Amino acid sequence: MITNTELEYKGNLYPNDIVDFRRDAEKLYFTTSNGVVLEISVLRDSAFRFRYATENIFEPDFSYAISESASIGYNKLEVEETVTEYLIITAKLKILVDKRTLRIQISDLEGTIINEDELGFHWEENYQFGGNTVKMSKITQNAESFYGMGDKATHSNLKGKRVNNWVTDQYAFSKDQDPLYKAIPFYIGLHNNSAYGIFFDNTFRTQFDFAHERRNVTSFWADGGEMNYYFFYGPKIAEVVNSYTDLTGTPELPPMWTLGFHQSKWSYYPENRVLEIAKKFRDLRIPCDGIYLDIDYMEGFRCFTWNKEYFPDPKKMVQDLKNDGFKTIAIIDPGIRIDKDYWVYQEAKDNDYFCKRGDGPAMRGKVWPGECNFPDFTNPEVREWWAGLYKELIAEIGIKGVWNDMNEPAVMEVPTKTFPLDVRHDYDGHPCSHRKAHNVYGTQMARATYEGVKKFSFPKRPFVITRAAYSGAQRYTSTWTGDNVATWEHLWIANVQIQRMCISGMSFVGSDIGGFAEQPSGELFARWIQLGVFHPFCRVHSSGDHGDQEPWSFDDEVTDIVRSYIELRYQLLPYLYTMFYRYTKENVPMIKPLVHFDQEDHQTHFRTDEFIFGEQILVCPVQEPNAQGRRMYIPRGTWYNYWTDEVILGGMEKWVVAGLEKIPLFVKEGAMIPKYPVQQYVGEVEVKELIMEVYYKNGVERSSVYEDGQDGYDYKKGRFSLRNYKLTGRENELIIQQYKGGSYISSYETIKLNFHGLPFTIDTIEIDHVQVPIEAVQLEGNSSIVVDKGFTNLHISGF
């Protein structure tokens, strides 16, 4: 007798009643009668991990995203049981676990709901691939807004949007197109002036619906793996971002030259063309630190080779560039050409390092070199081998940085643009298919590259840039937003993307200034430079198919404007370096959307254009052609117009004059902004005097300046300088207190203070409580003085 053996389609499945609870230190386990287990881990009083297993079995607990140095520890953990629920109480939050449905409600200690399940956890069996599609739905709170999610080319506020994470090579992407090059499944919710964050640490394709399908429901789900998410409570957005960034990590300090201006193109070759570009920068006195070599420097696009026709003596060329202050950065892609005479291919083949299809043969795909195999960077042995391949490039040739591209991984001439889903990966001892490993492939390539560059650059610091990334990639690499287009719309997109990336834990980021595809007008290029110099990573990169895009490629007016803004970036290097220090040490994003700056002002919740550069500079790019100014929102507080010193009260929209030579730029009152002299490259000149632009405030403001040797690792041994300033302004006096930490001795002996907005005429100056003659501090009118760098208390008064 033949019976119907077709699998029963069960649809969505749900946990039912809790039948068991146990506690193991900071981990709490709730088991239902149908075999669902909820593990709640208390990381801190305001941070939790929620993990759900079906059929009573958790997957091995492994993550590429989580930093080994993440902060763990709480002050209070109590569990109470009632007839209907379990109540978990920490020093900051209460969590209710419903006994009947396993649904969660999170509130503050006063009982205000922060986040709560709608259907909560549910799942659907995946008959095609095995395992489950795991789902979570939450109630969208009244007037709730959503931010984060990394590399999304859409409005800053994600309310009403649906996005998905599947790292994708998306050439010439458009506004609202999704997915793109990065997968960062982290979002921030904001309602009732209270913020929280959720990080869904699942590397399968994930999707997020922010009240798109149903206006009162926010949901996220994955094609496989576990429902495994972290919850962070603020109530400030800054605290949420700090917690997520602490969990996934930050990079070490980069060498300062990486914060200078970089020039790239697909491609600069042969070597005399590279040297010609470099010479033109110096001849025109346009500062530049980095020159990039795209795929044409290789022999037949084979990684770790040189085209001897184009580059007969690469070591000499790199040295010649170095002698003129340029650092050379070279591209390396993951595709290894199938060629038995190619040593990299043969080594990988002999050691079984290539990714394999489900039935055993090596994964084959077409990329720039032609038919290629691809190393499995999720295998630690492969990563170690890959790191070793950089010895010649870095230690012998003298390349200073490596640029990983096409590592989504991108595969040409296939509809999916990437590996087939049956490709197998080691996943650090947790074998899986490409469905799980796809989103982390690029990050693990960048990680292997970082280890190699770091090893062979020592005692200098490494520099790596990647196109593809997953959460946590920032520990190893910088990034950029991929193959954009030379349009005004893409200028807007770049602005939004960088803000979003920074509050998603990945601050060392920039865009292809001017656009990669197509050709910008001189006006668009100038406006993009004006934005790009205020991004953490500042690089022009363009396709060779669309004309030249160097700073001098347009008319003299544009060249002069571009030069002036690149010079401004070099002046602001100590400010930018201090921003980076705070990012690495305090998890503070380098760029902040206005909602991060002031979430209590509801006018900031939907702003996309304006942002805070560091802590005290407000930037708003001009994003339309033929503009002589623009309306922008000035956040609450008092601000100085950088160009005119006009004092403006915030909390309102304002028309700001901004001809082609100007970008709307404001400085927070009380700020002390450090500056260096203009240099053609980092280290060209010895800094003989630190300049501090001091903006008067009737009140108190704090500022800081971080300095070290600008490269190398002495700073980790305490050889750094951290100058913390407290400015106190009153009607007829200004007091500046300086507190210095660290043992680094700066090259300069004096600090020049340029005053802005002083409401009195100086007649008395005291340094460390000793009155000094005005002429002894070189007073220039009422605007500036020069003091010894070691002062601790400066008291200026007048009438």
Side-chain angles (χ1 to χ4, degrees):
M1 180 179 178
I2 298 175
T3 60
N4 185 352
T5 59
E6 182 178 346
L7 286 170
E8 176 189 0
Y9 176 69
K10 300 175 183 177
N12 282 327
L13 302 170
Y14 299 84
N16 54 18
D17 56 304
I18 296 174
V19 296
D20 182 65
F21 163 73
R22 67 183 176 90
R23 175 177 176 179
D24 183 4
E26 80 284 358
K27 296 181 185 295
L28 311 173
Y29 294 91
F30 305 86
T31 303
T32 68
S33 61
N34 63 342
V36 175
V37 183
L38 165 61
E39 175 192 277
I40 301 178
S41 301
V42 182
L43 308 180
R44 295 189 301 282
D45 290 313
S46 59
F48 303 86
R49 182 187 183 192
F50 295 86
R51 241 183 125 198
Y52 296 81
T54 58
E55 300 179 354
N56 295 288
I57 300 172
F58 283 103
E59 295 185 0
D61 192 9
F62 173 78
S63 172
Y64 284 119
I66 308 305
S67 169
E68 293 180 357
S69 60
S71 301
I72 304 294
Y74 54 87
N75 296 303
K76 176 182 178 180
L77 176 57
E78 297 176 358
V79 182
E80 301 175 3
E81 182 179 359
T82 71
V83 174
T84 59
E85 63 205 15
Y86 289 91
L87 175 61
I88 304 164
I89 305 171
T90 71
K92 292 188 177 180
L93 294 175
K94 294 179 182 178
I95 301 178
L96 297 180
V97 183
D98 186 83
K99 283 186 173 181
R100 187 174 58 86
T101 62
L102 205 63
R103 292 175 189 166
I104 303 296
Q105 182 188 88
I106 305 173
S107 62
D108 63 21
L109 297 181
E110 286 71 46
T112 303
I113 294 173
I114 301 163
N115 182 259
E116 60 183 323
D117 288 356
E118 186 238 4
L119 296 177
F121 170 63
H122 50 293
W123 74 99
E124 190 173 352
E125 292 183 7
N126 190 323
Y127 297 120
Q128 180 180 2
F129 295 104
N132 300 317
T133 298
V134 292
K135 308 174 182 181
M136 174 61 65
S137 64
K138 302 279 189 179
I139 294 173
T140 303
Q141 302 297 320
N142 184 44
E144 186 165 6
S145 292
F146 301 95
Y147 307 93
M149 296 301 296
D151 194 8
K152 303 298 179 188
T154 193
H155 197 286
S156 298
N157 193 328
L158 294 166
K159 181 70 169 285
K161 304 283 188 182
R162 177 181 281 189
V163 298
N164 79 89
N165 294 306
W166 183 252
V167 176
T168 303
D169 176 12
Q170 207 68 274
Y171 172 79
F173 58 91
S174 58
K175 185 174 182 245
D176 295 324
Q177 187 168 352
D178 194 49
L180 299 180
Y181 300 92
K182 296 162 192 69
I184 303 178
F186 162 71
Y187 74 86
I188 301 158
L190 174 64
H191 60 87
N192 300 311
N193 291 330
S194 184
Y196 69 90
I198 286 179
F199 169 44
F200 183 21
D201 189 10
N202 183 309
T203 62
F204 286 80
R205 182 192 290 267
T206 56
Q207 304 202 50
F208 290 73
D209 185 303
F210 297 104
H212 171 78
E213 183 174 331
R214 290 183 289 162
R215 66 190 303 269
N216 65 329
V217 177
T218 297
S219 55
F220 49 93
W221 62 98
D223 289 351
E226 281 186 348
M227 175 51 60
N228 170 34
Y229 73 90
Y230 293 81
F231 177 89
F232 315 98
Y233 173 57
K236 298 294 186 184
I237 289 178
E239 294 168 312
V240 173
V241 173
N242 182 297
S243 293
Y244 167 76
T245 307
D246 176 78
L247 182 72
T248 56
T250 56
E252 61 188 8
L253 272 172
M256 185 180 276
W257 66 262
T258 64
L259 302 181
F261 177 75
H262 297 207
Q263 182 70 39
S264 181
K265 184 178 183 177
W266 178 31
S267 280
Y268 287 133
Y269 69 94
E271 72 173 38
N272 61 2
R273 176 61 176 158
V274 179
L275 295 171
E276 176 186 306
I277 292 291
K279 183 176 184 300
K280 191 83 177 246
F281 271 101
R282 297 298 181 243
D283 288 347
L284 294 178
R285 304 292 293 169
I286 300 174
C288 182
D289 264 280
I291 294 287
Y292 285 65
L293 302 179
D294 211 317
I295 54 176
D296 293 285
Y297 82 88
M298 305 174 191
E299 180 62 43
F301 307 132
R302 294 168 176 82
C303 294
F304 305 103
T305 68
W306 289 86
N307 183 312
K308 293 302 183 182
E309 178 184 352
Y310 296 156
F311 297 92
D313 193 347
K315 184 174 182 178
K316 181 179 184 303
M317 180 196 72
V318 169
Q319 183 61 48
D320 288 345
L321 290 168
K322 179 182 177 182
N323 292 342
D324 211 7
F326 290 95
K327 296 81 183 173
T328 308
I329 299 94
I331 197 170
I332 292 288
D333 291 349
I336 301 301
R337 181 177 172 84
I338 299 172
D339 177 358
K340 63 182 178 60
D341 296 322
Y342 173 29
W343 64 278
V344 176
Y345 167 78
Q346 201 59 50
E347 276 190 17
K349 185 172 183 295
D350 290 346
N351 288 284
D352 200 23
Y353 287 160
F354 288 127
C355 294
K356 293 181 178 178
R357 299 295 300 269
D359 290 331
M363 158 65 200
R364 297 170 70 101
K366 184 179 179 183
V367 205
W368 300 118
E371 287 290 318
C372 290
N373 293 152
F374 299 81
D376 180 10
F377 296 109
T378 72
N379 184 332
E381 186 178 342
V382 174
R383 291 197 300 270
E384 183 178 3
W385 165 75
W386 187 261
L389 297 178
Y390 286 102
K391 181 178 181 180
E392 180 185 11
L393 266 180
I394 307 298
E396 298 174 19
I397 302 295
I399 296 295
K400 293 299 182 186
V402 174
W403 162 27
N404 286 161
D405 196 17
M406 302 293 287
N407 56 339
E408 287 70 32
V411 178
M412 298 173 176
E413 299 179 5
V414 294
T416 63
K417 301 183 180 181
T418 192
F419 293 0
L421 297 181
D422 73 321
V423 168
R424 304 297 296 171
H425 296 270
D426 179 77
Y427 213 87
D428 276 70
H430 306 88
C432 67
S433 76
H434 196 65
R435 295 174 64 237
K436 183 175 182 179
H438 173 84
N439 279 337
V440 297
Y441 185 88
T443 295
Q444 296 311 301
M445 180 188 183
R447 176 185 180 182
T449 298
Y450 165 79
E451 294 296 342
V453 176
K454 183 173 183 177
K455 177 179 180 180
F456 298 116
S457 295
F458 190 83
K460 302 299 185 183
R461 304 175 204 164
F463 174 60
V464 176
I465 178 169
T466 184
R467 191 170 72 177
Y470 181 74
S471 295
Q474 66 269 13
R475 301 197 299 270
Y476 316 112
T477 179
S478 62
T479 189
W480 86 105
T481 57
D483 293 345
N484 57 7
V485 187
T487 64
W488 291 95
E489 180 177 77
H490 264 271
L491 177 60
W492 180 90
I493 292 172
N495 186 15
V496 172
Q497 281 179 304
I498 271 62
Q499 293 180 49
R500 194 192 308 280
M501 286 290 290
C502 285
I503 62 168
S504 301
M506 204 168 291
S507 273
F508 200 1
V509 59
S511 69
D512 282 348
I513 293 173
F516 177 77
E518 302 183 12
Q519 178 75 0
S521 65
E523 180 189 15
L524 175 57
F525 185 76
R527 291 301 194 189
W528 210 318
I529 282 282
Q530 290 171 349
L531 172 64
V533 297
F534 293 104
H535 285 160
F537 178 60
C538 181
R539 181 184 74 160
V540 169
H541 181 51
S542 63
S543 166
D545 295 333
H546 300 101
D548 294 333
Q549 212 157 292
E550 291 76 42
W552 54 84
S553 299
F554 305 94
D555 55 49
D556 290 345
E557 179 189 20
V558 170
T559 301
D560 290 342
I561 291 170
V562 169
R563 179 192 296 107
S564 69
Y565 278 89
I566 295 174
E567 288 177 343
L568 176 58
R569 182 176 177 92
Y570 276 76
Q571 288 178 297
L572 289 173
L573 278 176
Y575 182 82
L576 190 56
Y577 203 49
T578 303
M579 287 164 53
F580 214 111
Y581 169 80
R582 293 205 63 208
Y583 168 49
T584 63
K585 292 296 183 183
E586 302 171 24
N587 309 310
V588 177
M590 297 175 72
I591 299 289
K592 303 170 185 66
L594 290 196
V595 69
H596 183 289
F597 179 77
D598 187 359
Q599 70 189 49
E600 294 181 1
D601 179 1
H602 290 191
Q603 292 297 318
T604 68
H605 291 194
F606 285 86
R607 307 302 302 198
T608 59
D609 296 354
E610 307 88 347
F611 62 89
I612 306 296
F613 177 64
E615 302 295 318
Q616 298 164 320
I617 297 179
L618 170 66
V619 183
C620 186
V622 176
Q623 298 170 136
E624 295 179 344
N626 306 313
Q628 292 302 308
R630 63 159 296 158
R631 288 192 68 81
M632 63 173 286
Y633 187 72
I634 310 291
R636 295 187 298 183
T638 302
W639 302 83
Y640 285 77
N641 186 312
Y642 178 84
W643 307 110
T644 67
D645 275 353
E646 176 190 3
V647 179
I648 295 175
L649 189 64
M652 66 179 72
E653 280 194 0
K654 185 176 178 62
W655 171 265
V656 180
V657 175
L660 185 57
E661 76 287 354
K662 290 288 188 293
I663 181 176
L665 200 59
F666 296 85
V667 182
K668 187 180 179 184
E669 67 167 347
M672 298 178 61
I673 307 296
K675 284 184 175 180
Y676 283 164
V678 173
Q679 317 172 64
Q680 295 308 297
Y681 56 91
V682 169
E684 180 200 23
V685 299
E686 183 179 50
V687 178
K688 296 185 178 179
E689 187 171 73
L690 179 66
I691 298 169
M692 297 291 288
E693 304 291 344
V694 181
Y695 293 84
Y696 172 82
K697 175 182 182 177
N698 191 342
V700 176
E701 180 73 14
R702 299 179 185 274
S703 304
S704 58
V705 183
Y706 174 85
E707 297 172 295
D708 60 22
Q710 303 181 357
D711 205 344
Y713 291 93
D714 281 356
Y715 76 97
K716 291 192 173 183
K717 303 171 186 175
R719 288 192 276 278
F720 62 86
S721 168
L722 180 60
R723 301 179 184 274
N724 289 309
Y725 294 97
K726 179 183 178 183
L727 178 148
T728 305
R730 302 188 180 99
E731 185 177 351
N732 293 313
E733 63 180 351
L734 184 68
I735 300 169
I736 298 174
Q737 296 165 287
Q738 179 180 224
Y739 311 87
K740 182 184 178 300
S743 61
Y744 178 74
I745 300 174
S746 55
S747 59
Y748 52 85
E749 295 298 330
T750 57
I751 298 175
K752 183 177 183 180
L753 304 172
N754 294 327
F755 299 112
H756 302 261
L758 274 186
F760 56 85
T761 300
I762 299 172
D763 67 358
T764 303
I765 297 175
E766 289 184 4
I767 299 177
D768 296 338
H769 308 293
V770 176
Q771 186 170 334
V772 298
I774 289 179
E775 59 272 16
V777 291
Q778 302 174 27
L779 182 68
E780 297 177 10
N782 199 49
S783 62
S784 63
I785 63 174
V786 176
V787 297
D788 185 272
K789 67 179 180 182
F791 81 91
T792 58
N793 190 289
L794 174 65
H795 188 177
I796 301 169
S797 58
F799 56 89

